[in-house]
């Protein structure tokens, strides 16, 4: 079913994701795009029913106030300009702060001005994406990067429905996965779900490439580029692979930056792709927020253990082994993470807390081990809750749990002599440390 589409054009506002989500909550599909869309780009977006020109404090770029392109103004659809002296359309000075008042403004625009129907829901999205995948891929074959996480698992389910056995899943063990995870992915997807799965052991290859690299952006780009190289090699062993499936979601794209909003960080499947990519990308979830991805997974019949598992970054433990990755410190991250997950499950926090993990930064402090001075690493515990990964609050942990974690981690994880708790929300922190 073709969706009515409302475009939220970025003219320097930091509220674009919030507005897009509020529109979707009212049952209308929305997308965020740059302010200077061309006629060709607009022509590729079907069924545009209205445009929101969302101005804000970042509207001045290189000393000039940006405006929508002439192609946008030529669309002949209703427009709503916020904090922006637009050439045409209804204007308001700012979004109301009250949620109900915001919803009233949006409802009047969506339904009274634009005549939108309430067609945005999970099942319509699934049907639409299956149709789009079939149209894009045709008779071709797709290679999917299957980490076993929520995003790639939902992509796999969509691709299986759309193209069946013309999907080949590749699971790469880059040495940056959680304890026992490679074995679990193989067991669930190959043995239980019957997926066409290729397992690649690339631990030494990735860790050798990352040796001595401390800059987090360089680490992400190395991991992203090496992933693509691995897939290219696996594709050459197969016949007719011309598409690469990825679990890119909307926060990945937004946080990687726009023309008026600086990047928070590049994501391995957004900023880390090489320019000479040999595949056409298939990214059916790239316009969804995290909670929407989970809803799609549940609607597709994926097990709760897969749909509601906590998110795991594409670069894996590489962004939690802060600084230049060493194998011993990476192992400290892996072992402390396993202890954290085990204790959270024992204390009834599994499924309650959105994401929890450990970080081992490349610093040392003096401690005591076997009655001797020991210069060892700290282990930082982070536990956060969020809906869409754009903002996050910190889970307040019981002191008895903190004491148990401290005792176990400092005694069971070699090289760690301190346990710290990160109590910083997003913003000002990000969810991950790198």
């Amino acid at each position: 079913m073709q969706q009515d589409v409302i475009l939220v054009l970025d003219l320097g506002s930091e509220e674009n994701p919030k507005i897009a989500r509020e529109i979707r909550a009212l049952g209308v599909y929305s997308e965020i795009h740059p302010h200077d869309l061309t006629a060709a780009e607009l022509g590729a977006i079907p069924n545009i029913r209205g445009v929101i020109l969302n101005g804000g404090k970042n509207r001045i770029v290189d000393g000039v106030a940006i405006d929508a392109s002439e192609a946008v103004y030529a669309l002949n659809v209703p427009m709503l300009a916020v904090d922006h002296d637009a050439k045409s359309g209804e204007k308001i000075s700012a979004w109301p702060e009250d949620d109900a008042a915001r919803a009233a403004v949006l409802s009047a625009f969506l339904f009274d001005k634009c005549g939108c129907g309430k067609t945005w829901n999970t099942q319509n999205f699934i049907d639409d994406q299956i149709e789009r995948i079939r149209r894009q891929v045709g008779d071709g074959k797709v290679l999917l990067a299957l980490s076993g996480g929520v995003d790639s698992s939902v992509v796999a389910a969509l691709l299986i429905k759309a193209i069946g056995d013309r999907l080949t899943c590749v699971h790469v063990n880059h040495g940056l996965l959680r304890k026992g995870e490679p074995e679990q992915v193989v067991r669930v997807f190959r043995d239980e779900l019957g997926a066409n799965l290729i397992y690649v052991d690339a631990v030494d290859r990735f860790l050798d490439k990352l040796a001595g690299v401390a800059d987090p952006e360089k680490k992400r780009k190395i991991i992203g580029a090496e992933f693509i190289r691995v897939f290219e090699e696996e594709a050459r062993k197969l016949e007719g692979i011309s598409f690469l499936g990825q679990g890119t979601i909307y926060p990945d794209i937004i946080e990687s930056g726009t023309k008026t909003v600086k990047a928070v960080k590049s994501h391995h499947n957004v900023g880390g792709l090489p320019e000479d990519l040999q595949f056409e990308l298939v990214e059916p979830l790239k316009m969804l927020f995290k909670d929407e991805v989970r809803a799609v997974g549940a609607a597709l019949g994926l097990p709760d253990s897969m749909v509601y598992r906590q998110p795991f970054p594409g670069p894996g433990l590489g962004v939690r082994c802060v600084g230049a990755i060493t194998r011993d410190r990476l192992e400290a991250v892996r072992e402390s993470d396993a202890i954290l997950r085990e204790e959270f499950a024992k204390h009834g926090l599994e499924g309650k807390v959105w994401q929890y993990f450990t970080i081992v930064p490349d610093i040392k402090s003096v401690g005591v081990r076997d009655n001797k001075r020991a210069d060892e690493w700290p282990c930082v515990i982070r536990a956060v809750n969020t809906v869409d990964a754009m903002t996050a609050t910190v889970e307040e942990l019981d002191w008895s749990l903190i004491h148990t974690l401290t005792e176990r981690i400092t005694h069971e994880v070699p090289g760690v002599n301190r346990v710290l708790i990160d109590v910083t929300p997003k913003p000002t922190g990000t969810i991950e440390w790198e």
Side-chain angles (χ1 to χ4, degrees):
M1 178 179 182
Q2 191 176 70
Q3 300 283 347
D4 290 339
V5 179
I6 296 294
L7 300 186
V8 178
L9 296 193
D10 178 13
L11 283 102
S13 173
E14 295 181 341
E15 287 199 320
N16 295 318
K18 182 175 183 178
I19 299 303
R21 289 184 56 78
E22 288 173 330
I23 294 171
R24 294 185 188 188
L26 292 169
V28 179
Y29 181 59
S30 61
E31 293 183 357
I32 302 170
H33 286 278
H35 64 284
D36 55 355
L37 286 173
T38 65
E41 289 169 332
L42 289 166
I45 304 172
N47 216 30
I48 298 172
R49 299 300 298 271
V51 175
I52 293 178
L53 305 171
N54 205 27
K57 65 180 183 180
N58 295 318
R59 190 182 166 208
I60 306 300
V61 178
D62 297 328
V64 178
I66 59 175
D67 197 355
S69 65
E70 292 300 327
V72 171
Y73 285 116
L75 277 175
N76 195 31
V77 297
M79 295 188 184
L80 175 63
V82 184
D83 191 21
H84 169 47
D85 186 18
K87 294 178 182 178
S88 64
E90 180 184 354
K91 301 176 180 65
I92 60 174
S93 59
W95 291 109
E97 293 186 7
D98 178 71
D99 288 344
R102 294 166 72 100
V105 170
L106 284 171
S107 292
F109 179 68
L110 299 177
F111 305 118
D112 299 339
K113 299 289 186 181
C114 302
C116 293
K118 293 187 176 184
T119 59
W120 170 249
N121 58 57
T122 300
Q123 190 57 53
N124 283 347
F125 172 82
I126 292 172
D127 295 341
D128 179 59
Q129 286 305 315
I130 289 174
E131 179 184 338
R132 289 190 183 196
I133 291 167
R134 288 172 177 167
R135 190 165 59 243
Q136 178 185 4
V137 174
D139 294 330
K141 297 180 180 179
V142 180
L143 192 64
L144 172 65
L146 178 59
S147 68
V150 178
D151 304 333
S152 63
S153 298
V154 174
V155 171
L158 277 171
L159 287 169
I160 288 169
K161 279 188 171 292
I163 61 172
D165 60 6
R166 288 185 286 121
L167 168 67
T168 298
C169 298
V170 177
H171 177 63
V172 178
N173 182 1
H174 51 17
L176 305 171
L177 296 171
R178 289 174 286 202
K179 187 173 183 178
E181 202 158 41
E183 297 83 358
Q184 181 188 45
V185 169
V186 172
R187 183 180 69 253
V188 171
F189 286 93
R190 178 187 289 167
D191 301 340
E192 297 179 14
L193 300 181
N196 183 12
L197 176 65
I198 296 172
Y199 172 80
V200 181
D201 185 345
V203 173
D204 291 338
R205 175 172 174 170
F206 274 81
L207 296 186
D208 289 347
K209 286 268 188 181
L210 290 164
V213 180
D215 181 81
E217 287 297 284
K218 290 181 179 177
K219 287 162 64 174
R220 286 177 177 273
K221 291 180 186 295
I222 287 171
I223 294 168
E226 201 62 21
F227 254 110
I228 299 300
R229 299 307 176 208
V230 172
F231 291 133
E232 287 177 334
E233 292 169 12
E234 293 304 318
R236 283 195 289 269
K237 300 174 186 177
L238 304 169
E239 291 184 4
I241 299 291
S242 53
F243 296 90
L244 175 65
Q246 286 203 139
T248 308
I249 64 174
Y250 219 2
D252 297 342
I253 296 172
I254 295 169
E255 289 193 335
S256 292
T258 69
K259 296 178 181 179
T260 60
V261 179
K262 293 181 179 179
V264 177
K265 57 188 174 184
S266 65
H267 288 259
H268 75 287
N269 49 3
V270 178
L273 295 175
E275 293 181 0
D276 60 342
L277 183 67
Q278 300 298 308
F279 304 107
E280 181 179 335
L281 294 178
V282 180
E283 301 174 299
L285 306 181
K286 69 179 181 179
M287 302 306 288
L288 293 190
F289 294 96
K290 196 72 179 188
D291 58 315
E292 295 172 327
V293 174
R294 294 188 192 279
V296 169
L300 288 168
L302 293 176
D304 285 355
S305 59
M306 187 179 299
V307 172
Y308 296 106
R309 65 173 295 182
Q310 57 172 307
F312 192 57
L317 299 181
V319 296
R320 298 174 183 172
C321 189
V322 178
I325 297 171
T326 60
R327 296 186 184 231
D328 54 353
R329 194 156 52 86
L330 178 61
E331 199 57 31
V333 178
R334 197 180 339 265
E335 291 298 325
S336 59
D337 174 82
I339 290 171
L340 180 68
R341 287 187 288 134
E342 182 181 327
E343 291 299 330
F344 265 47
K346 287 180 181 178
H347 285 75
L349 295 175
E350 185 178 45
K352 176 188 173 187
V353 181
W354 188 80
Q355 192 172 16
Y356 43 94
F357 54 90
T358 60
I359 306 108
V360 180
D362 189 15
I363 58 174
K364 288 188 175 181
S365 66
V366 65
V368 179
R369 181 81 64 189
D370 300 326
N371 295 317
K372 297 178 183 178
R373 176 189 176 104
D375 293 321
E376 297 180 336
W377 307 297
C379 174
V380 183
I381 293 172
R382 184 141 173 80
V384 298
N385 291 307
T386 183
V387 172
D388 57 14
M390 300 305 298
T391 62
T393 58
V394 175
E395 176 73 14
E396 295 184 8
L397 303 180
D398 185 80
W399 275 108
S400 64
L401 171 58
I402 293 173
H403 288 314
T404 299
L405 289 168
T406 302
E407 175 72 16
R408 288 197 61 188
I409 290 173
T410 56
H411 286 79
E412 296 178 31
V413 181
V416 172
N417 65 357
R418 294 178 188 271
V419 172
L420 313 175
I421 308 293
D422 182 352
V423 296
T424 312
K426 178 182 180 179
T428 54
T430 55
I431 293 176
E432 299 288 345
W433 271 37
E434 288 190 341

